Amino acid sequence: MAEPASDNTDPAAELVLEEGGADGEGQASSAAPEGVAADPAALRAEEEATGSVGETERGAELGAATESETDSTADRDPVPSPADRPSGAYASVHADTNHGTQIGQWFEAVQRYSGAPLPRESVERDLADYVSVENEVELFQLLEDNRTLVLFADHPGSGRWTAALHLLATRPGEALTLRRIRREPGDSFSTEGLKGHKRTGWILDLRAREESIPASCDFGLELMQADDLRDDDSYLVVVLRTDLWNRIGHGAGKLARKPHPPTPASLMLKYLGSGGISDPKQWADDHRIKEKLAGLRPGQVRELAQNLVRAESDYRTTTGRSTEARSAGFNEAIEAASKAVSGWTDVLTNWHSKDGRTSYDRNYLLLAAVYDGEPIDNVQDKILSLARGLGEKNDASTRLTGQQGPGLIQLARQIDAELRPDGTLRFPGPGFAEAIVRYFLLDRPELIDKFITWTAQLCVDLAASKAEKLAERLAPWILHHAQAARSTRTLLGVASNWSTDDTLDRQAHALLVTAALDPEIGQLTRNATSNWIEKNHAPLLKTLAHVFQSVTPAHPEQMLRRLGYLAGSLDKRVQFDAGQKAEVAEAVGAAVDALWADDSLRPLLRRTLNTWFASDQKGQQEAAASAFMHLALQQGDTGSPILLSGSEDTIPEWVICGWRTALESEEPTSLTRRAGAAWLDAAVAQPETADLISSTMVRAVHETPSDHQRGLRFLNLVRIAEHWVSDEKTPDEEDRHRFHATLMRSVSDADPHRGRSQSEGEPAGE
């Protein structure tokens, strides 16, 4: 996943990121069930069968290659067992300090999981600070000779993912199209599924702890079958754990190697140089840095370098002084960076344990960290609000007046910060604000829910620019808590709150998509959404429709089932008025419309819509009609509806079903009127399509086994056509009236009861 990595010594405070994901997705060679179930019982059976997500491999895989701060390629350390975990909040979420760029990059994970080509920008970012593994020459030759290479390791920092990425990205000749094979953990694998993709570099990621490929599947022998790869001029690199390879790799030992990571010193020089440090060697050669490097893993080397870069820049910016070797600035930057690597634990512990320290002081420290040093409006009120949010009911929860409380300068000094003239705070060093929050989450686990709830509401109360910034910082804390508690309750509460806010609904969507793709709680979150759908909260349901759309490329069957269940559940929403139901149905329809652009999903989407068209659930039919109307509005290069593309004399049956379902609404929706107008416009503008469009409308009204709604369909078509032909703003008025008359005559003539009705003296079409 696209996030920064932090490889802390303390696992309880560890904040690490996953690149393409230890949660291996892939082109599953096992057959996937067809159709879309909308039955809650079926969904729950699915959840029981899948269970909660297993533990994943964590830890920064940065030894082989350095990744950018916002897109780490990270392996994961073994997750501690429950007995090994600290009593406080345990977290290994995929974000450390959020600098406002991560949420957008998190969505790259969907593309990676889906098996789509990896974006060039993403690959370049992953490899921006690449340092070769020491045995790269040997790996390069093995891959060239065999077309398949296996990279295994049993500890973080091995460089499996980035070594694989670099080997494939630097093959001689025309650049390869790089793809991560999409698969669910435990799926079988066959190289047959890769056939036909020319000049492709495949990565099969089996690092997830829940991977359970059986030893009997002949995985090693499967990897030896490289003829199809040679024919396509393609390559395959498998990355996995040592224990899994020992179990399933029989017969393919010659294809496998363990990457030998580069030295910490070489990594440090690379990181400092790319961070803009002039003469990085003088910093890397300092005895204090050398002492620290000896015991650091690659991810920690990277963190030390990043903190050193920030500390050096901050010192020069705020003091205007030099950071030349052995100067005061040089020494201060090294000291600040060293404390940041340890998470400022000693500094914060000493601060909290100081005699006379009050809850008021601690709440201001936490509040300053939440605002990340930015000015705090009505700071005294905010401190008291936080105290009440955390459940404090003593005298300090009463607003102090006059000069009874400490002033801003005193408050800043009390938290070892400096108050700048613009109202911002200068903390002692890089990562200090984030370390304060980490310290609180570990030190006061019983207050985490209250803290997250209070901060989420603060986002709602702030101005839009500040609200979005704080929401992005809050997202990793929420995910930390969900991972530690193995619960999505707080996640749901925040998403429900934010989804009602026009500014934060995008953040709610981003938060839930991130959780649904998280290697540790992704399955747990996706399972929980079946219960969330039952919440009578229209804004949340609209957000969920968007979430299901975003995650569908990675988990198509499961997410389309969720969309179907969401649509079908509208029948039971007695608390919703017609407008709310229509909004949710529209959100489901818009989700299908957006997914239509993915050619690989279209067959499944057509099957899904046909299932919804035939459903006896009105809500599902309305969502299907909304989705179909969105598709009906799409136009090709010639201006004709794309649903007519490839149709010469006939129209596909599912298109007829779509129009029929839309015409069976009590009255045409505004979306249906727009789509109908677009098709009638096309019939006038491109006469060669007129007969096909007219035939489509006639069949939608009349061609059905049951005719009890024929009159309603006819009436709605009349309404659409009358609304269209009455538009006085168009220059083709005569052509419109001519086609309108032809269409109405065709619909009437096709009525199977027309002859009988006229003979009985009844008007045709009734």
Side-chain angles (χ1 to χ4, degrees):
M1 224 179 262
E3 310 103 356
S6 170
D7 220 355
N8 299 308
T9 304
D10 180 4
E14 187 162 292
L15 301 171
V16 273
L17 290 168
E18 182 63 20
E19 38 61 49
D23 182 12
E25 307 289 346
Q27 274 184 339
S29 55
S30 55
E34 295 188 359
V36 179
D39 180 8
L43 288 171
R44 288 193 175 82
E46 170 195 330
E47 319 309 0
E48 292 173 3
T50 55
S52 62
V53 68
E55 306 292 8
T56 59
E57 184 180 3
R58 301 182 296 106
E61 179 161 11
L62 296 165
T66 67
E67 296 83 10
S68 69
E69 178 176 4
T70 54
D71 196 345
S72 150
T73 56
D75 273 323
R76 301 206 161 219
D77 291 328
V79 172
S81 65
D84 297 331
R85 293 184 181 182
S87 58
Y90 170 80
S92 64
V93 84
H94 313 233
D96 189 358
T97 303
N98 193 322
H99 300 289
T101 60
Q102 290 176 4
I103 283 184
Q105 292 167 358
W106 272 328
F107 292 113
E108 290 181 359
V110 178
Q111 190 169 20
R112 292 184 177 192
Y113 286 164
S114 71
L118 301 181
R120 180 175 57 84
E121 296 79 6
S122 172
V123 174
E124 290 176 352
R125 186 169 59 248
D126 279 0
L127 299 177
D129 292 327
Y130 179 79
V131 178
S132 297
V133 292
E134 294 183 348
N135 57 338
E136 184 174 279
V137 173
E138 178 190 14
L139 301 179
F140 189 96
Q141 194 59 50
L142 274 173
L143 181 58
E144 190 64 38
D145 292 343
N146 300 289
R147 295 285 166 160
T148 302
L149 175 68
V150 177
L151 300 177
F152 65 89
D154 48 12
H155 59 81
S158 62
R160 288 166 291 184
W161 174 268
T162 39
L165 206 59
H166 185 259
L167 287 168
L168 293 172
T170 56
R171 303 316 297 167
E174 181 185 352
L176 299 176
T177 298
L178 304 187
R179 296 176 183 265
R180 179 183 179 218
I181 298 174
R182 185 178 66 80
R183 63 184 305 282
E184 296 287 352
D187 280 347
S188 60
F189 171 76
S190 171
T191 55
E192 181 70 22
L194 312 183
K195 187 176 180 180
H197 292 267
K198 302 295 184 182
R199 195 70 185 161
T200 300
W202 298 98
I203 300 180
L204 176 59
D205 190 349
L206 301 177
R207 292 172 296 162
R209 282 294 172 188
E210 63 268 30
E211 277 296 352
S212 56
I213 294 180
S216 59
C217 73
D218 292 332
F219 181 77
L221 295 178
E222 185 68 33
L223 295 181
M224 297 296 293
Q225 310 303 315
D227 291 344
D228 289 340
L229 290 171
R230 293 186 187 280
D231 291 343
D232 291 332
D233 196 17
S234 295
Y235 299 84
L236 168 65
V237 180
V238 182
V239 292
L240 77 175
R241 309 183 316 273
T242 302
D243 63 316
L244 180 60
W245 178 244
N246 289 339
R247 190 168 76 247
I248 67 175
H250 304 297
K254 73 173 188 176
L255 302 178
R257 293 292 186 276
K258 177 182 290 188
H260 300 161
T263 65
S266 64
L267 285 172
M268 190 68 177
L269 284 171
K270 181 73 174 183
Y271 294 139
L272 291 177
S274 64
I277 291 285
S278 59
D279 194 5
K281 195 171 187 305
Q282 72 174 1
W283 296 85
D285 285 345
D286 184 271
H287 68 94
R288 290 163 292 184
I289 297 296
K290 283 186 173 181
E291 289 174 0
K292 287 193 172 297
L293 285 177
L296 294 183
R297 294 177 291 173
Q300 293 170 308
V301 174
R302 180 172 177 270
E303 185 182 17
L304 174 59
Q306 289 176 338
N307 286 319
L308 190 54
V309 168
R310 292 174 189 156
E312 189 269 347
S313 175
D314 183 63
Y315 182 85
R316 285 188 294 101
T317 301
T318 56
T319 67
R321 298 173 187 168
S322 168
T323 55
E324 294 179 355
R326 292 175 295 281
S327 67
F330 183 87
N331 293 327
E332 184 173 321
I334 289 180
E335 182 179 355
S338 299
K339 291 177 179 177
V341 167
S342 64
W344 295 94
T345 302
D346 292 341
V347 173
L348 289 170
T349 300
N350 291 337
W351 184 91
H352 278 275
S353 59
K354 183 178 180 179
D355 290 342
R357 186 66 67 208
T358 67
S359 174
Y360 195 88
D361 299 338
R362 294 189 180 96
N363 285 334
Y364 177 66
L365 177 71
L366 185 58
L367 189 64
V370 166
Y371 275 83
D372 200 16
E374 293 297 315
I376 306 172
D377 296 333
N378 304 316
V379 61
Q380 305 286 1
D381 289 331
K382 289 290 196 308
I383 294 172
L384 297 175
S385 172
L386 176 59
R388 296 188 185 103
L390 297 179
E392 296 178 9
K393 301 184 183 301
N394 53 29
D395 293 340
S397 296
T398 303
R399 174 70 166 93
L400 301 175
T401 59
Q403 296 195 51
Q404 295 181 72
L408 294 179
I409 295 176
Q410 182 182 352
L411 285 171
R413 293 282 177 85
Q414 286 177 352
I415 63 171
D416 295 337
E418 175 186 340
L419 181 66
R420 291 168 168 163
D422 62 357
T424 61
L425 293 174
R426 179 177 182 261
F427 290 126
F432 189 72
E434 202 68 26
I436 293 169
V437 177
R438 288 191 207 175
Y439 189 98
F440 171 80
L441 296 178
L442 291 168
D443 194 45
R444 307 281 180 171
E446 72 281 4
L447 297 178
I448 293 176
D449 275 330
K450 293 180 178 179
F451 168 70
I452 289 177
T453 300
W454 182 87
T455 310
Q457 182 58 43
L458 178 61
C459 294
V460 176
D461 298 336
L462 290 174
S465 59
K466 290 185 177 181
E468 289 190 330
K469 183 177 180 181
L470 178 55
E472 289 192 344
R473 293 194 66 234
L474 179 58
W477 307 339
I478 298 170
L479 296 175
H480 281 223
H481 180 48
Q483 289 178 341
R486 303 299 299 168
S487 169
T488 59
R489 180 170 56 85
T490 302
L491 180 70
L492 171 61
V494 173
S496 298
N497 188 10
W498 287 357
S499 65
T500 62
D501 186 275
D502 291 340
T503 298
L504 295 172
D505 58 350
R506 186 177 69 88
Q507 302 293 334
H509 166 248
L511 175 64
L512 294 184
V513 170
T514 304
L517 295 174
D518 183 89
E520 291 193 35
I521 60 167
Q523 186 67 61
L524 186 69
T525 302
R526 297 193 298 273
N527 288 352
T529 57
S530 61
N531 291 324
W532 297 354
I533 289 172
E534 297 177 5
K535 304 294 182 184
N536 288 306
H537 190 266
L540 174 64
L541 297 184
K542 290 193 292 184
T543 297
L544 284 177
H546 194 193
V547 170
F548 297 153
Q549 169 209 318
S550 298
V551 183
T552 290
H555 302 278
E557 298 282 352
Q558 188 181 42
M559 291 300 99
L560 287 180
R561 280 194 293 272
R562 293 294 186 275
L563 271 175
Y565 180 29
L566 173 55
S569 71
L570 293 176
D571 291 350
K572 300 180 293 184
R573 309 291 180 180
V574 294
Q575 297 88 345
F576 289 1
D577 58 32
Q580 289 174 313
K581 289 184 179 181
E583 287 177 356
V584 177
E586 165 67 11
V588 174
V592 174
D593 178 51
L595 292 168
W596 192 260
D598 188 337
D599 292 344
S600 65
L601 290 175
R602 286 185 185 177
L604 180 57
L605 289 170
R606 282 195 292 268
R607 293 198 300 271
T608 300
L609 288 176
N610 278 327
T611 301
W612 294 0
F613 292 151
S615 173
D616 58 0
Q617 295 174 321
K618 188 66 174 177
Q620 203 165 65
Q621 291 179 1
E622 290 176 354
S626 175
F628 180 79
M629 288 298 100
H630 276 290
L631 299 179
L633 277 168
Q634 294 188 25
Q635 296 181 339
D637 296 336
T638 64
S640 294
I642 63 167
L643 296 182
L644 294 176
S645 300
S647 302
E648 297 180 359
D649 300 322
T650 59
I651 200 76
E653 180 61 31
W654 76 276
V655 176
I656 304 297
C657 288
W659 276 110
R660 181 181 302 131
T661 304
L663 293 174
E664 288 179 354
S665 299
E666 292 183 9
E667 64 179 59
T669 65
S670 60
L671 184 61
T672 302
R673 292 182 187 274
R674 286 171 50 209
W679 280 52
L680 299 180
D681 281 340
V684 172
Q686 302 177 46
E688 67 275 12
T689 67
D691 288 344
L692 190 59
I693 290 174
S694 179
S695 173
T696 299
M697 299 303 179
V698 170
R699 291 178 61 193
V701 170
H702 293 303
E703 193 176 292
T704 174
S706 173
D707 63 0
H708 68 281
Q709 295 201 76
R710 178 177 285 116
L712 177 60
R713 293 194 295 270
F714 179 79
L715 176 60
N716 281 332
L717 179 59
V718 170
R719 288 167 170 168
I720 293 170
E722 290 290 345
H723 182 268
W724 168 74
V725 79
S726 63
D727 187 351
E728 299 177 352
K729 300 177 181 178
T730 58
D732 52 358
E733 182 177 355
E734 184 177 343
D735 292 336
R736 281 173 171 252
H737 281 281
R738 185 182 301 112
F739 182 75
H740 174 264
T742 300
L743 176 62
M744 292 297 98
R745 185 168 54 252
S746 298
V747 176
S748 296
D749 289 346
D751 187 346
H753 303 301
R754 181 171 181 269
R756 176 172 57 83
S757 299
Q758 289 180 334
S759 66
E760 296 173 355
E762 298 175 0
E766 292 297 323

